[in-house]
C-alpha cells in the first residue's frame, strides 16, 4: 500500500494517464484487501441474523396454523354437540365463558385505571366507556389518573368525573403535583390509595381506548378459573385504520403482532409483552412482581417480564377487542417508534441477568424470552437496516466480487413479508409500500436500539410533541383525536376555497401536517393554470369512490 502511494505521487508529476493507472491499482488493492473481506463478513453476519428471524417466523406460523386447526375441530365438535342438546343447554354452553349478569356474587372488586396527560380530545370518550362497563356498581371503582399540566384540561377532566359521580358511578379523580415516574409513577401511586387496596383485579385503559360494555365479563373469568394467571390481554381494534396510508401500514404490522406473536406467546409459553393497556391484572401478581417501575420507557413490558420470572402466567384473549386509534401523523409515529424500539433494548440490558439467574422459569421459557427480546426487538431492526439498506446495495456496487446467497437476499425476506401480509389481507395491495416504509423506518429504529443498548442520553426520553400532545402523553398511541377530526371535517366543508379565505394554501398544509385530516382521502395536484406547480399553489380535491386515490387504499 505504501509503495502504491509513492507510485501515485511520482506518477502525478509525469502524465495524467499514468496517475490514473496508479490510482486504479490503489483502489483495486483497497477493494480486495479491505472492502471485499469486510463486506463478505457483513454478509455472513447479516445472513445469520436473517436466518434467526426466519426460523422464528416459521415456528410461529406453524404454531398459529396448529392452533387454527385445533380450534376448528373444537368448533365442529361443539356444533355437533349443540345439535343434540336442547335449547336451554345450548344457551348455557354459549354463555359458559362469561359472568352472568345476575350472579353478582361471582363478581370480584375491580379497579379501572385510566392514566392520562393533557387529553383534551379523548378524555370524555375514555371516561364514558369505563363508566359504561357492565359490572355491579358496588364492585367497580374507576380511577382517573390525570397528570395534566394544563389547568384548563385538569378542570375539564375533574368536572367530567364529578358528572359521572353524580350519576352514582364510583369514580375517583386523582391529580399529582409532580410527574415522577410518568405513567408508571401515576399508576403506582394510584394503587396505594385506601379505596384501591381491596380490589382483586386491576383493569388498565389508556386515554385513547374505549372498551365495550361486556369487557370485564369476558376478561375476568380466566382469572377466576385459574389462580396462576396474572394477566388477561385483549387485542386492539383500530377505528382509524383507513384514514391514510400511514395508518394502513401500521395496521399491517400490529395485526401480525396480535394475531401471531401474542397468540404464540400465550399458547406455548404463557408469556408475552403486556401492551400497557386493554388488559386486566391480578392485584396480587402486581404486588408479587414488585409493582410499577420507571427504570425504562416500557414499564408495561418490564412488569410483564418480572411477573413471568416469578412464575405467573398470561392469557391472550384474541376474540376480545378494544377500540383505539393509530397515530395519523408521521412525527407522532416517529416518536412512538423510538420509544417502542429503544425501551425493549434498554430493558434487555437490565433484565438479562435476572432471566439467567431465575430458577422459577424453565430453560424452554428462557429461550422464548431470549427470542422475544434479542430476535424480535434487536435483530429484527438491525438486520433490516444493515442488510437490506446498506450491505446489499454495497454488494451491488462491488459488482459481484462478494458472494451473496440468493436465498438470503430474496427468498428469506419474501417469506417473512408474505407471512406478515397474511394477517391483513385487505391491505395486500400496499405490500410494496409497506416494505419501502419499513426499510426507511429501520434506520430510525436501529438508532433507537443502539441508544437503548448503550443506555445513551435519550434512552429514557419521554417526548410530548406539541402538535400531537393530545395523544402522546401516556398512551402508546399519538394520533389525532377522533372528535377533533369530525369537528374539523364539519368546519372545513367548504374545502380548499374556504381554507384559502382563512389563510390560503399554507394554512391548509399546516392543518394537514398537524394531523387535522379530512375524513376522506385527499389528492394534492398542481394547478396547470398557474406556473410554478406545487411550489406556488396547490389545489386540494376530495375524491370519493372505490378507485379514488392511493391514500384510501
Amino acid at each position: 500500500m505504501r509503495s502504491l502511494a509513492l507510485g501515485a505521487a511520482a506518477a502525478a508529476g509525469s502524465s495524467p494517464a499514468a496517475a490514473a493507472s496508479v490510482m486504479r491499482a490503489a483502489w483495486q488493492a483497497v477493494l480486495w484487501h479491505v472492502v471485499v473481506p469486510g463486506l463478505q463478513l457483513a454478509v455472513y453476519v447479516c445472513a445469520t441474523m436473517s436466518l434467526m428471524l426466519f426460523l422464528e417466523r416459521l415456528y410461529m406460523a406453524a404454531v398459529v396454523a396448529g392452533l387454527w386447526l385445533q380450534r376448528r375441530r373444537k368448533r365442529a365438535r361443539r356444533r355437533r354437540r349443540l345439535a343434540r342438546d336442547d335449547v336451554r343447554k345450548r344457551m348455557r354452553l354459549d354463555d359458559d365463558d362469561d359472568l352472568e349478569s345476575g350472579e353478582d356474587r361471582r363478581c370480584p372488586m375491580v379497579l379501572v385505571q385510566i392514566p392520562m396527560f393533557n387529553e383534551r380530545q379523548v378524555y370524555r370518550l375514555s371516561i364514558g366507556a369505563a363508566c359504561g362497563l357492565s359490572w355491579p356498581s358496588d364492585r367497580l371503582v374507576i380511577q382517573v389518573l390525570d397528570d395534566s399540566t394544563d389547568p384548563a384540561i385538569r378542570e375539564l377532566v375533574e368536572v367530567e368525573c364529578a358528572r359521572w359521580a353524580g350519576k352514582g358511578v364510583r369514580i375517583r379523580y386523582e391529580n399529582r403535583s409532580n410527574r415522577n415516574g410518568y405513567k408508571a409513577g401515576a399508576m403506582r401511586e394510584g394503587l396505594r390509595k385506601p379505596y384501591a387496596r381491596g380490589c382483586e383485579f386491576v383493569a388498565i385503559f389508556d386515554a385513547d381506548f374505549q372498551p365495550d360494555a361486556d369487557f370485564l365479563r369476558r376478561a375476568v373469568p380466566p382469572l377466576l378459573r385459574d389462580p396462576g394467571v396474572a394477566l388477561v390481554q385483549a387485542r386492539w381494534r383500530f377505528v382509524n385504520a383507513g384514514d391514510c396510508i400511514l395508518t394502513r401500514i401500521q395496521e399491517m404490522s400490529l395485526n401480525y403482532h396480535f394475531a401471531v406473536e401474542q397468540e404464540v406467546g400465550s399458547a406455548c409459553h404463557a408469556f408475552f409483552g403486556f401492551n400497557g393497556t386493554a388488559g386486566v391484572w391480578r392485584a396480587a401478581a402486581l404486588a408479587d412482581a414488585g409493582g410499577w417501575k420507571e427504570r425504562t420507557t416500557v414499564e408495561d413490558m418490564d412488569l410483564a417480564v418480572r411477573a413471568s420470572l416469578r412464575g405467573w402466567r398470561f392469557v391472550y384473549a384474541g376474540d376480545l377487542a378494544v377500540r383505539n386509534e393509530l397515530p395519523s401523523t408521521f412525527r407522532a409515529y416517529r416518536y412512538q417508534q423510538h420509544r417502542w424500539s429503544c425501551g425493549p433494548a434498554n430493558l434487555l440490558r437490565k433484565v438479562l441477568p435476572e432471566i439467567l439467574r431465575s430458577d422459577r422459569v424453565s430453560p424452554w421459557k428462557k429461550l422464548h424470552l431470549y427470542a422475544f427480546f434479542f430476535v424480535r426487538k434487536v435483530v429484527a431492526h438491525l438486520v433490516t437496516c444493515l442488510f437490506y439498506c446498506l450491505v446489499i446495495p454495497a454488494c451491488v456496487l462491488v459488482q459481484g466480487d462478494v458472494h451473496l446467497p440468493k436465498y438470503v437476499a430474496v427468498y428469506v425476506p419474501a417469506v417473512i413479508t408474505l407471512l406478515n401480509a397474511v394477517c391483513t389481507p385487505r391491505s395486500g395491495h400496499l405490500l410494496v409500500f409497506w416494505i419501502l416504509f419499513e426499510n426507511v423506518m429501520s434506520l430510525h429504529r436501529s438508532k433507537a436500539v443502539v441508544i437503548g443498548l448503550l443506555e445513551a442520553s435519550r434512552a429514557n426520553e419521554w417526548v410530548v410533541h406539541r402538535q400531537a400532545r393530545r395523544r402522546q402523553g401516556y398512551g402508546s398511541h399519538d394520533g389525532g383525536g377522533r372528535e377533533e377530526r369530525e369537528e374539523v371535517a364539519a368546519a372545513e366543508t367548504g374545502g380548499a376555497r374556504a381554507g384559502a379565505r382563512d389563510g390560503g394554501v399554507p394554512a391548509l398544509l399546516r392543518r394537514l401536517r398537524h394531523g387535522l385530516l379530512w375524513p376522506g382521502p385527499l389528492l394534492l395536484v398542481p394547478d396547470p393554470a398557474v406556473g410554478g406547480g406545487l411550489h406556488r399553489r396547490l389545489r386540494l380535491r376530495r375524491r370519493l369512490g372505490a378507485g379514488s386515490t392511493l391514500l384510501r387504499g
Side-chain angles (χ1 to χ4, degrees):
M1 299 293 294
R2 182 180 179 184
S3 62
L4 288 174
L6 293 175
S14 58
S15 66
S21 177
V22 172
M23 293 300 296
R24 192 180 302 110
W27 163 244
Q28 289 296 325
V30 173
L31 176 67
W32 287 104
H33 292 87
V34 178
V35 177
V36 170
L39 275 180
Q40 194 65 64
L41 178 61
V43 167
Y44 291 147
V45 172
C46 292
T48 302
M49 293 193 294
S50 296
L51 291 177
M52 292 169 57
L53 185 62
F54 176 71
L55 292 177
E56 197 219 10
R57 294 295 176 94
L58 281 185
Y59 159 72
M60 291 192 295
V63 172
V64 169
L67 291 173
W68 181 79
L69 292 174
Q70 182 181 10
R71 289 169 182 168
R72 185 176 180 181
R73 287 196 296 267
K74 285 183 178 180
R75 285 195 299 266
R77 288 196 299 266
R78 190 165 180 260
R79 283 195 297 267
R80 290 194 296 267
R81 185 173 66 253
L82 291 176
R84 297 191 299 265
D85 294 339
D86 57 6
V87 176
R88 182 177 300 177
K89 187 175 181 181
R90 183 181 310 162
M91 293 175 61
R92 186 167 65 251
L93 287 174
D94 285 341
D95 298 334
D96 183 60
D97 290 339
D98 298 339
L99 290 174
E100 295 291 344
S101 58
E103 296 182 354
D104 291 353
R105 66 182 185 275
R106 297 177 57 192
C107 296
M109 283 292 298
V110 176
L111 173 68
V112 177
Q113 289 188 318
I114 309 176
M116 57 178 59
F117 176 78
N118 291 343
E119 304 287 355
R120 180 187 293 272
Q121 304 301 326
V122 294
Y123 73 94
R124 285 185 178 178
L125 292 175
S126 57
I127 294 176
C131 293
L133 290 171
S134 176
W135 201 256
S137 58
D138 61 330
R139 314 296 293 171
L140 180 67
V141 179
I142 298 172
Q143 187 181 66
V144 178
L145 305 170
D146 184 20
D147 273 6
S148 299
T149 55
D150 189 336
I153 298 179
R154 284 188 187 182
E155 184 178 357
L156 289 174
V157 177
E158 189 172 6
V159 169
E160 182 69 12
C161 293
R163 185 174 72 87
W164 282 101
K167 296 181 179 181
V169 178
R170 295 181 62 187
I171 183 171
R172 301 297 183 94
Y173 174 81
E174 302 291 345
N175 182 267
R176 300 189 298 167
S177 59
N178 59 73
R179 295 184 60 208
N180 294 338
Y182 300 102
K183 177 181 176 180
M187 301 184 72
R188 181 176 59 243
E189 293 190 16
L191 291 174
R192 293 173 180 171
K193 300 297 179 181
Y195 60 85
R197 293 173 184 170
C199 296
E200 187 176 351
F201 302 111
V202 180
I204 302 170
F205 301 103
D206 281 345
D208 53 345
F209 280 71
Q210 298 93 43
D212 293 333
D214 62 344
F215 176 85
L216 292 178
R217 297 194 176 275
R218 298 175 62 185
V220 171
L223 294 163
L224 294 176
R225 285 195 297 264
D226 189 349
V229 173
L231 166 68
V232 173
Q233 172 72 63
R235 71 168 298 154
W236 301 347
R237 184 168 71 244
F238 314 112
V239 298
N240 66 331
D243 277 8
C244 59
I245 193 171
L246 175 62
T247 55
R248 293 288 290 270
I249 289 175
Q250 293 176 71
E251 182 192 29
M252 295 176 68
S253 300
L254 289 175
N255 278 349
Y256 179 85
H257 167 72
F258 285 107
V260 178
E261 295 177 352
Q262 300 277 76
E263 190 76 50
V264 172
S266 175
C268 298
H269 311 281
F271 169 81
F272 47 81
F274 175 46
N275 297 318
T277 180
V280 181
W281 275 91
R282 189 184 300 274
L286 276 170
D288 184 55
W292 294 97
K293 295 182 179 180
E294 63 273 12
R295 57 180 178 174
T296 67
T297 57
V298 284
E299 70 290 327
D300 43 15
M301 189 180 296
D302 185 8
L303 176 62
V305 173
R306 286 185 280 112
S308 180
L309 294 179
R310 297 287 296 174
W312 293 95
R313 299 188 303 276
F314 304 158
V315 172
Y316 171 67
D319 58 343
L320 179 59
V322 179
R323 300 184 303 275
N324 79 300
E325 293 188 3
L326 295 166
S328 56
T329 62
F330 180 72
R331 180 170 296 183
Y333 177 71
R334 186 165 54 88
Y335 281 126
Q336 178 204 72
Q337 291 302 301
H338 173 84
R339 190 152 41 90
W340 283 10
S341 302
C342 178
N346 187 238
L347 182 61
L348 172 63
R349 169 184 175 138
K350 296 178 178 179
V351 302
L352 184 59
E354 301 176 22
I355 295 175
L356 297 177
R357 290 195 305 262
S358 176
D359 55 355
R360 296 191 180 185
V361 179
S362 64
W364 176 243
K365 193 168 185 177
K366 289 184 180 180
L367 181 63
H368 174 70
L369 289 172
Y370 158 79
F372 174 81
F373 277 108
F374 185 68
V375 178
R376 297 184 204 170
K377 308 300 182 183
V378 177
V379 168
H381 301 320
L382 293 180
V383 73
T384 305
C385 173
L386 296 177
F387 194 38
Y388 303 115
C389 299
L390 299 177
V391 174
I392 291 181
C395 291
V396 173
L397 294 177
V398 174
Q399 299 179 353
D401 294 327
V402 178
H403 175 63
L404 180 62
K406 183 185 296 186
Y407 70 91
V408 176
V410 179
Y411 302 136
V412 168
V415 173
I416 292 176
T417 302
L418 291 177
L419 289 176
N420 190 96
V422 167
C423 299
T424 314
R426 79 184 187 100
S427 298
H429 59 290
L430 299 177
L431 195 58
V432 174
F433 298 97
W434 179 82
I435 295 172
L436 297 175
F437 184 78
E438 288 296 308
N439 284 340
V440 172
M441 287 302 300
S442 68
L443 302 173
H444 180 69
R445 293 172 182 145
S446 298
K447 178 178 126 181
V449 166
V450 173
I451 291 174
L453 290 176
L454 300 180
E455 204 163 13
S457 58
R458 292 186 60 196
N460 296 315
E461 182 181 65
W462 281 77
V463 177
V464 181
H465 189 253
R466 177 178 299 176
Q467 284 125 0
R469 70 186 304 172
R470 62 184 180 273
R471 301 297 296 275
Q472 188 157 354
Y474 285 160
S476 298
H477 309 288
D478 316 318
R482 187 179 183 182
E483 288 184 339
E484 180 174 359
R485 284 201 308 276
E486 292 174 352
E487 294 172 2
V488 171
E492 307 270 353
T493 310
R497 287 189 298 272
R501 289 194 302 267
D502 298 332
V505 172
L508 290 175
L509 292 180
R510 204 158 41 243
R511 291 181 178 274
L512 289 173
R513 187 170 63 250
H514 293 174
L516 309 182
L517 299 179
W518 278 261
L522 291 173
L523 183 65
L524 301 181
V525 296
D527 193 339
V530 180
L534 286 171
H535 295 287
R536 296 191 57 183
R537 184 174 178 179
L538 291 175
R539 183 182 55 175
L540 284 77
R541 182 178 58 180
R542 288 188 57 188
R543 297 188 60 183
L544 303 177
S548 56
T549 174
L550 180 62
L551 288 179
R552 177 165 181 157

